[in-house]
Amino acid sequence: SSADRGEFALASGRLVEEKGFDTAITAAHTAGVPLVIAGAGPDEARLRALADDTVTFTGLLTHDKLAELRSRAALVLAPSRWEEPCPYSVLDALAAGVPVLASALGGLPELVPPESALPAADPASWAESITRLWQEPRLRLEQGRVGLARVRERFGEERYLERLLAIYEPRA
């Protein structure tokens, strides 16, 4: 992972209000951290109006372009306001060794360490966590490693196969 050398915070997904991108914009601004938002959707105009020149909107990207962008990120933000079960944007970031800050809603808290699950609609908490990670490259690297180990343990191919075989295992 190169999270310790990351250039910006990244948020990606469909630009809809329930994804909480406005929280990401406000918090990154407060933290003084550049933000890249990858995606498109009906909330884009409102989000652009909230953003200053430290926010870059990429539009919809291919999987490869998003992976390249993720490889340059210092951290990923998932400030969702709805109970997402298991978003790929979070799994992909964790699998790339990039630390993730996520809302404490739905399945998100199960994906990230406890200190990385934040109140969905509290930009001040988000700004504080973004600032801490941004200012401590070694912490970003360590949290990226922890996230990678966690996602491999819970969602890796071996774990998937174990779970699948357990379904078909005869019961005594």
Side-chain angles (χ1 to χ4, degrees):
S1 165
S2 58
D4 58 328
R5 297 182 307 278
E7 305 164 31
F8 47 79
L10 173 65
S12 64
R14 182 160 161 72
L15 303 186
V16 291
E17 195 169 340
E18 57 266 26
K19 291 283 193 175
F21 289 110
D22 51 353
T23 297
I25 291 169
T26 301
H29 174 79
T30 301
V33 174
L35 175 64
V36 174
I37 296 178
D43 204 27
E44 185 170 346
R46 183 181 74 90
L47 295 172
R48 283 183 180 274
L50 289 173
D52 62 17
D53 61 357
T54 65
V55 180
T56 303
F57 289 84
T58 68
L60 190 60
L61 298 175
T62 65
H63 181 75
D64 290 344
K65 293 271 189 200
L66 184 55
E68 189 277 326
L69 195 61
R70 191 180 308 109
S71 73
R72 296 175 28 228
L75 61 149
V76 165
L77 308 178
S80 191
R81 291 196 182 99
W82 73 286
E83 298 196 6
E84 293 198 56
C86 189
Y88 280 112
S89 63
V90 171
L91 290 179
D92 288 343
L94 294 170
V98 180
V100 176
L101 297 174
S103 293
L105 290 173
L108 290 169
E110 296 174 34
L111 301 176
V112 298
E115 68 275 8
S116 297
L118 306 172
D122 183 1
S125 291
W126 284 83
E128 184 179 314
S129 294
I130 291 168
T131 299
R132 184 171 45 87
L133 281 173
W134 185 254
Q135 292 177 349
E136 298 184 41
R138 286 181 184 222
L139 179 60
R140 291 197 307 264
L141 196 58
E142 179 56 29
Q143 283 196 3
R145 287 181 181 144
V146 167
L148 177 57
R150 188 180 187 105
V151 80
R152 280 183 177 154
E153 174 191 327
R154 294 179 178 195
F155 300 98
E157 291 177 16
E158 286 183 32
R159 185 72 175 125
Y160 174 80
L161 185 58
E162 285 173 17
R163 288 179 181 160
L164 183 63
L165 292 176
I167 292 170
Y168 291 101
E169 194 172 89
R171 305 206 187 260

